[in-house]
Amino acid sequence: MSLHRKLGKTYTPANQQGFLGPGHIARAVIQVPYSDSDPFIMLMDDMLDKKDNIPVGGPHPHAGFETVTLMLEGEMGDKEHTMKAGDLQIMTAGSGIVHTETIDKEAKMRILQLWLNLPKNDRQALPRVQDISLEHVPTKSKKGLALRLYSGSLAGLTSPIKNYTPFILADITLEPGISTTLDVPASYTAFLYAIDANVLVGNEARQLKTNQVGWLDRLSEEGDSQLRLKAGEMGGRAILYAGQPQNDEIVSHGPFIADTQDDIRRLYREYRNGEMGHIAMVEEEQRLVW
């Protein structure tokens, strides 16, 4: 018998003033306890409309997880590395790394940045950065469906991105009235973030409206489950996040994820002592470009 995923908790995250100045609006997309979102720790939808040349941002540390950055609109970076709309970067903070995000000119952009938990045995992994440009993202386009697969395997596609935590990230656009059924591992925690118009989810065809977050029901069975999506009259676009729960408690403090409070104190000490390297200086084999 086929397992069918259905929509559970839904909500619309509120706009909040961001930390990059008056032109920065942020939405906290994940608003459920970590026990329900595992392996997803945090997801921010950052919208920036910067109208001056005053630098904002700067260097800061991370450890114990991965940042997954999807550029929805605009571009950021420098001559050596620029992210543009449709590009993805995954940074494995692992044992501890410093990275720099500085915006020193007028800019308009929208970014989704996820904090993805690492398996406990990989918490101290060597820092790594992976970049995949829009031109190299596996894509499926047919009969009113456009699907970009950034991570994992879905709809007959497989991303080249290397994962510690099994994880699907897909950008799905459906023209009005078009439907699709996707096979998603039944054990994966999964949610949709509706970017544009509306999407009908599951056999029950529950509506997910623009800017809403919809969590799929959690299943304990193994194997695949089916997720049915259908666009409403205006068409629809949603980002699918699905990942294997790690089922380990975590300690979160500031920019660090760890197993114990002692680990957190150690990470702060290493950062203050200048013992964390910068992501720009990682070995070439830890820099993967697809």
Side-chain angles (χ1 to χ4, degrees):
M1 184 176 68
S2 298
L3 299 171
H4 296 276
R5 303 298 279 268
K6 60 184 179 181
L7 203 57
K9 183 181 180 68
T10 63
Y11 53 83
T12 302
N15 288 348
Q16 303 174 27
Q17 177 61 57
F19 62 89
L20 295 177
H24 181 198
I25 300 297
R27 295 185 189 133
V29 176
I30 294 178
Q31 298 182 10
V32 299
Y34 177 68
S35 57
D36 294 333
S37 68
D38 180 9
F40 306 119
I41 301 167
M42 180 179 76
L43 175 60
M44 297 302 297
D45 182 355
D46 289 298
M47 292 159 280
L48 182 65
D49 189 2
K50 187 172 178 292
K51 299 183 182 299
D52 58 44
N53 296 317
I54 300 172
V56 294
H60 54 277
H62 287 307
F65 64 100
E66 294 184 297
T67 62
V68 182
T69 304
L70 176 60
M71 197 87 186
L72 291 182
E73 300 173 13
E75 66 176 48
M76 70 174 183
D78 52 33
K79 293 181 180 179
E80 291 187 4
H81 177 69
T82 299
M83 286 188 71
K84 62 185 185 303
D87 292 354
L88 180 87
Q89 181 179 88
I90 296 185
M91 185 186 74
T92 305
S95 59
I97 200 71
V98 176
H99 76 139
T100 302
E101 293 173 328
T102 301
I103 304 168
D104 57 6
K105 58 185 178 181
E106 294 184 16
K108 189 169 185 177
M109 62 184 72
R110 184 178 183 186
I111 301 168
L112 294 179
Q113 187 173 96
L114 172 76
W115 286 17
L116 176 66
N117 193 20
L118 284 166
K120 190 170 184 177
N121 291 339
D122 295 312
R123 188 89 66 213
Q124 297 296 313
L126 280 175
R128 178 177 72 186
V129 62
Q130 301 181 76
D131 290 287
I132 184 167
S133 63
L134 174 62
E135 293 79 8
H136 295 104
V137 175
T139 301
K140 183 174 186 177
S141 299
K142 68 172 188 178
K143 297 180 181 178
L145 165 69
L147 187 151
R148 299 175 188 163
L149 182 68
Y150 288 93
S151 177
S153 295
L154 187 72
L157 303 173
T158 297
S159 168
I161 290 288
K162 297 181 182 296
N163 299 124
Y164 287 103
T165 298
F167 162 56
I168 292 170
L169 172 53
D171 186 339
I172 304 164
T173 300
L174 296 167
E175 293 181 4
I178 295 297
S179 63
T180 187
T181 299
L182 303 171
D183 288 334
V184 177
S187 61
Y188 279 22
T189 299
F191 67 95
L192 293 156
Y193 185 33
I195 301 299
D196 188 28
N198 59 79
V199 179
L200 306 177
V201 182
N203 291 344
E204 304 79 11
R206 284 189 58 192
Q207 187 176 34
L208 198 63
K209 299 178 182 179
T210 301
N211 298 329
Q212 278 193 315
V213 181
W215 291 86
L216 304 183
D217 58 333
R218 304 186 77 172
L219 303 176
S220 58
E221 291 86 351
E222 297 297 323
D224 282 333
S225 61
Q226 293 187 330
L227 171 61
R228 187 171 188 271
L229 303 175
K230 182 178 180 179
E233 294 180 356
M234 302 299 292
R237 179 187 178 195
I239 310 297
L240 170 67
Y241 291 88
Q244 180 64 53
Q246 297 305 297
N247 299 313
D248 288 314
E249 291 186 6
I250 60 173
V251 177
S252 174
H253 195 284
F256 301 134
I257 300 295
D259 296 317
T260 67
Q261 290 291 348
D262 285 342
D263 289 334
I264 294 289
R265 285 188 282 270
R266 172 182 55 78
L267 289 168
Y268 271 105
R269 184 169 60 250
E270 290 176 358
Y271 175 59
R272 288 193 299 266
N273 292 341
E275 297 172 16
M276 289 185 184
H278 196 280
I279 191 66
M281 303 304 292
V282 297
E283 299 292 336
E284 281 300 313
E285 58 266 26
Q286 296 299 103
R287 300 186 63 86
L288 306 177
V289 179
W290 310 104

